[in-house]
Amino acid sequence: MKYADFVKRMSEETHLDKDVVRVVLDKMPNVLMEMEIGEKVRTPLGTFFCEERPPKKVQLPNGEWSQAKKLHRVRIRPNSRMQKEIK
């Protein structure tokens, strides 16, 4: 599914204007990144949680080794509505 198709379907399901749906989807990462490390938020999509990835050693394409910076990142653990058994 393309992003435009997704926005159109969300607009149809919610009876909101496509521009409103786009704004909400665009601002969602900004709001989620305001969470503190260890904080969680439950949504119909699943549980978003904020964690810190420690610095780690990585190998560059040229074979040299470098240090990747530690990251503040938001991840999602999908709930049961976002999972489907494949038969």
Side-chain angles (χ1 to χ4, degrees), residues 20-70:
V20 173
V21 173
R22 280 192 190 96
V23 169
V24 169
L25 292 173
D26 184 53
K27 298 299 179 187
M28 189 174 168
N30 299 345
V31 173
L32 289 172
M33 285 304 294
E34 292 175 3
M35 291 192 304
E36 298 294 325
I37 293 174
E39 192 174 359
K40 297 178 182 179
V41 61
R42 293 182 194 273
T43 70
L45 296 174
T47 303
F48 288 93
F49 58 97
C50 185
E51 66 181 14
E52 182 179 302
R53 191 201 73 193
K56 64 180 183 177
K57 196 174 181 181
V58 295
Q59 190 171 18
L60 301 175
N62 63 7
E64 294 180 23
W65 288 90
S66 181
Q67 189 75 14
K69 298 176 183 176
K70 71 178 179 179

